[in-house]
């Protein structure tokens, strides 16, 4: 199946699952507090719905515009902007008639479900698949190091032993830790057998971001293909599992990490590729796609270890993994407010790119858990039209004892709604721009 179609199916399935459960997070406490829910929709039903059915007081349905979902709660100022209902005297079943603490629980329900769901999925992943890791003994060739990191004392062939004085289990996580964690020093084993503890700058993550160096450490591997991805350049060029790349665009390739700079520099251009198959030297033409990808899947020359967990261990490990996922996302959120960060915002194309090219349940659930935690964090931001905006105004009411007036809430809701629409258009515009010009 085409990789684009596989990613699209996973994206729709994942978002549908997360949206329905998020809206249930609002729906269930609303019902518990005897608040009428007029609509429960997956996707938006602008002008018409693909499906709808009324059961009791609630219309359940599926809209045609896949930008989210919603529950319409009686007596609540939301994106529906139902001014006629709000102009009438409050009814006992309406949201506005309920105590502030009940309204707060209703508004926090969706975020709570997404947050808890993300942690539960990670626990399930740990129990079913465990974790994969590569230790220093599993990669004897070590890492290739970018020039700017050599200035600190790192060398090609280094193996990671410790970070901040503690044993570092998964060497492949070193780039993530440098970018998003507090790394003060790294102990490495040089190829000459000597160990050295090297200090890194305090703001190393910011420096990596500004310089565009997101992978200062790249595993050293021979340029041998484990497989090729369907529909991409490598498959079209006739390359197969086990082929060893010798040169690309007449540039000699000694290690796998040397492929990417050449392919990115020649994205969209036809270049020559020389490779070895069954002891014979062959050549072909290949055209990297708009992202500079060739469609190779690298053949890891080191052993990838797996650690299994029992039920209780998976709960602890899954919680720890979820905590650091949330913490890392919140930490890197600051880069969104920079010029470079804003230009890298992505929409549905970028989200779809998080899923694996081929169907893989472990990969699907990993990405779904990440999206669930991201949705929880984004929805709790104090922006009108988001759950966090409603929570902000409810907390104001609970502290001061005064409700913001309906006119103010309507204007705030409208401003927030247009801000969100602008952000969605901008993010998806970035996707289109990258697809067309990069």
């Amino acid at each position: 199946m085409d990789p684009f179609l596989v990613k699209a199916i996973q994206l729709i399935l994942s978002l549908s699952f997360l949206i329905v459960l998020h809206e249930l997070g609002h729906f269930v406490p609303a019902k518990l507090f005897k608040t009428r829910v007029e609509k429960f929709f997956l996707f938006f039903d602008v002008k018409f719905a693909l499906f709808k059915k009324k059961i009791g007081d609630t219309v359940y349905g599926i809209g045609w515009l896949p930008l989210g979902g919603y529950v319409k709660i009686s007596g609540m100022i939301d994106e529906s902007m139902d001014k006629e209902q709000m102009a009438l005297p409050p009814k006992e079943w309406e949201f506005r008639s309920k105590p502030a603490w009940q309204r707060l629980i209703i508004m926090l329900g969706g975020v709570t479900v997404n947050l808890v769901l993300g942690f539960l999925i990670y626990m399930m992943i740990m129990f079913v698949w465990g974790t994969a890791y590569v230790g220093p003994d599993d990669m004897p060739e070590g890492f290739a190091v970018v020039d700017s990191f050599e200035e600190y004392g790192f060398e090609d062939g280094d193996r990671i032993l410790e970070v901040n004085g503690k044993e570092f289990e998964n060497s492949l996580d070193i780039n993530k830790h440098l970018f998003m964690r507090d790394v003060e020093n790294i102990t490495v084993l040089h190829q000459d057998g000597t160990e050295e503890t090297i200090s890194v700058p305090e703001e190393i993550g910011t420096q990596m971001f500004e310089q565009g160096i997101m992978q200062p450490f790249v595993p050293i591997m021979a340029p041998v293909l484990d497989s090729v991805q369907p529909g991409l350049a490598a498959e079209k060029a006739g390359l197969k599992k086990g082929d060893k790349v010798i040169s690309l665009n007449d540039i000699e390739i000694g290690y796998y990490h040397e492929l990417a700079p050449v392919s990115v520099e020649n994205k969209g251009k036809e270049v020559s590729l020389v490779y070895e198959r069954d002891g014979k030297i062959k050549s072909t033409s290949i055209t990297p796609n708009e992202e500079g990808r060739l469609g190779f899947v690298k053949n890891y020359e080191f052993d990838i270890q797996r650690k299994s967990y029992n039920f209780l261990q998976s709960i602890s490990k899954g919680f720890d993994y979820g905590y650091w996922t949330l913490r890392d996302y919140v930490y890197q959120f600051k880069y969104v407010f920079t010029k470079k960060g804003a230009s890298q915002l992505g929409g549905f194309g970028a989200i779809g790119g998080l899923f694996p090219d081929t169907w893989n349940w472990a990969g699907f659930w990993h990405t779904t858990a990440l999206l669930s935690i991201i949705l929880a964090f984004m929805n709790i931001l104090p922006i009108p039209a988001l759950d966090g905006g409603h929570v902000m105004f409810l907390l104001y009411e609970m502290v001061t004892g005064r409700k913001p007036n309906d006119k103010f809430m309507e204007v705030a809701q409208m401003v927030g709604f247009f801000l969100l629409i602008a952000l969605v258009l901008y993010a998806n515009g970035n996707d289109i721009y990258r697809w067309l010009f990069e």
Side-chain angles (χ1 to χ4, degrees):
M1 187 181 292
D2 183 83
F4 175 82
L5 186 58
V6 173
K7 287 177 178 285
I9 292 172
Q10 292 180 92
L11 174 63
I12 293 172
L13 180 61
S14 178
L15 288 182
S16 298
F17 175 68
L18 295 178
I19 290 166
V20 168
L21 289 180
H22 176 92
E23 300 307 334
L24 274 173
H26 297 302
F27 179 87
V28 172
K31 286 293 190 180
L32 287 174
F33 296 135
K34 303 187 185 306
T35 309
R36 182 173 295 175
V37 180
E38 298 175 13
K39 287 186 174 183
F40 185 118
F41 264 75
L42 170 64
F43 306 148
F44 292 110
D45 57 327
V46 181
K47 299 298 185 183
F48 69 94
L50 299 177
F51 163 83
K52 61 180 180 180
K53 181 177 179 62
K54 188 170 184 178
I55 302 175
D57 296 322
T58 307
V59 176
Y60 300 87
I62 301 174
W64 63 270
L65 187 61
L67 294 179
Y70 71 97
V71 289
K72 186 179 185 310
I73 300 175
S74 294
M76 176 179 169
I77 297 176
D78 57 14
E79 60 273 7
S80 68
M81 300 304 290
D82 190 349
K83 296 182 181 180
E84 291 184 8
Q85 184 186 68
M86 298 304 294
L88 298 173
K91 308 294 192 303
E92 62 178 9
W93 62 78
E94 290 186 340
F95 180 81
R96 55 181 167 164
S97 299
K98 303 301 177 181
W101 67 270
Q102 292 185 4
R103 285 180 278 138
L104 183 63
I105 290 174
I106 292 171
M107 293 316 306
L108 286 173
V111 169
T112 302
V113 165
N114 279 137
L115 190 61
V116 171
L117 178 64
F119 279 75
L120 288 176
I121 293 175
Y122 281 132
M123 292 172 189
M124 179 269 291
I125 290 171
M126 298 304 155
F127 183 68
V128 176
W129 291 285
T131 54
Y133 68 95
V134 176
D137 294 336
D138 300 317
M139 47 185 312
E141 298 298 322
F143 287 100
V145 184
V146 297
D147 294 342
S148 60
F149 271 63
E150 290 180 351
E151 298 174 4
Y152 305 136
F154 296 106
E155 302 173 2
D156 284 345
D158 281 349
R159 287 185 272 171
I160 309 297
L161 300 180
E162 297 179 348
V163 172
N164 295 341
K166 296 181 180 180
E167 183 180 350
F168 197 65
E169 182 180 67
N170 188 7
S171 297
L172 300 183
D173 279 346
I174 187 61
N175 295 318
K176 178 175 71 176
H177 278 247
L178 281 165
F179 182 54
M180 293 185 288
R181 309 278 175 92
D182 297 321
V183 175
E184 298 176 0
N185 58 71
I186 301 174
T187 301
V188 298
L189 177 65
H190 297 306
Q191 283 295 308
D192 62 7
T194 61
E195 291 187 16
E196 183 180 2
T197 298
I198 301 172
S199 297
V200 296
E202 185 177 352
E203 294 295 325
I204 189 64
T206 300
Q207 292 180 27
M208 289 169 59
F209 180 76
E210 291 174 347
Q211 296 172 14
I213 303 173
M214 302 312 293
Q215 290 190 312
F217 291 90
V218 180
I220 294 178
M221 296 177 290
V224 178
L225 311 187
D226 181 69
S227 60
V228 295
Q229 295 173 319
L232 295 183
E235 183 187 57
K236 295 175 182 177
L239 295 170
K240 298 180 180 179
K241 175 184 176 71
D243 290 346
K244 181 179 180 180
V245 178
I246 295 174
S247 70
L248 180 63
N249 197 32
D250 298 323
I251 297 174
E252 184 178 351
I253 302 296
Y255 298 101
Y256 195 94
H257 65 270
E258 296 173 343
L259 278 166
V262 182
S263 62
V264 169
E265 185 178 341
N266 293 280
K267 54 190 175 184
K269 302 176 185 177
E270 185 177 87
V271 295
S272 62
L273 184 144
V274 179
Y275 62 99
E276 179 183 335
R277 178 185 294 170
D278 299 327
K280 297 179 180 179
I281 305 300
K282 304 187 176 211
S283 63
T284 187
S285 295
I286 192 167
T287 304
N289 69 8
E290 294 81 3
E291 299 173 349
R293 294 176 59 198
L294 295 167
F296 297 157
V297 176
K298 66 185 72 174
N299 181 26
Y300 287 100
E301 295 180 312
F302 40 78
D303 293 328
I304 298 178
Q305 308 293 336
R306 298 209 72 86
K307 181 178 288 188
S308 299
Y309 303 94
N310 62 35
F311 182 75
L312 292 178
Q313 289 172 333
S314 66
I315 293 174
S316 174
K317 183 65 177 179
F319 182 86
D320 184 68
Y321 197 97
Y323 165 79
W324 282 107
T325 299
L326 176 61
R327 189 263 187 198
D328 288 345
Y329 185 78
V330 174
Y331 178 86
Q332 69 177 352
F333 190 71
K334 65 181 181 180
Y335 295 113
V336 171
F337 302 101
T338 66
K339 182 178 179 181
K340 183 176 180 179
S343 67
Q344 294 180 356
L345 277 176
F348 291 108
I351 297 172
L354 297 173
F355 291 94
D357 293 327
T358 55
W359 193 270
N360 179 301
W361 279 112
F364 170 81
W365 285 116
H366 256 289
T367 304
T368 298
L370 172 63
L371 290 179
S372 192
I373 286 176
I374 290 174
L375 284 173
F377 173 72
M378 295 299 292
N379 261 293
I380 202 60
L381 292 176
I383 300 172
L386 291 178
D387 294 345
H390 290 284
V391 169
M392 176 178 63
F393 293 127
L394 277 168
L395 291 176
Y396 167 82
E397 177 186 341
M398 294 173 76
V399 171
T400 65
R402 299 192 305 271
K403 280 187 180 183
N405 67 65
D406 288 350
K407 184 63 178 178
F408 171 81
M409 291 293 291
E410 289 173 6
V411 172
Q413 188 75 14
M414 188 64 71
V415 170
F417 179 76
F418 281 117
L419 282 174
L420 291 178
I421 291 296
L423 181 61
V424 168
L425 292 174
Y426 176 78
N428 284 282
N430 278 347
D431 283 347
I432 295 171
Y433 179 86
R434 284 190 285 265
W435 181 66
L436 291 174
F437 300 110
E438 294 186 3

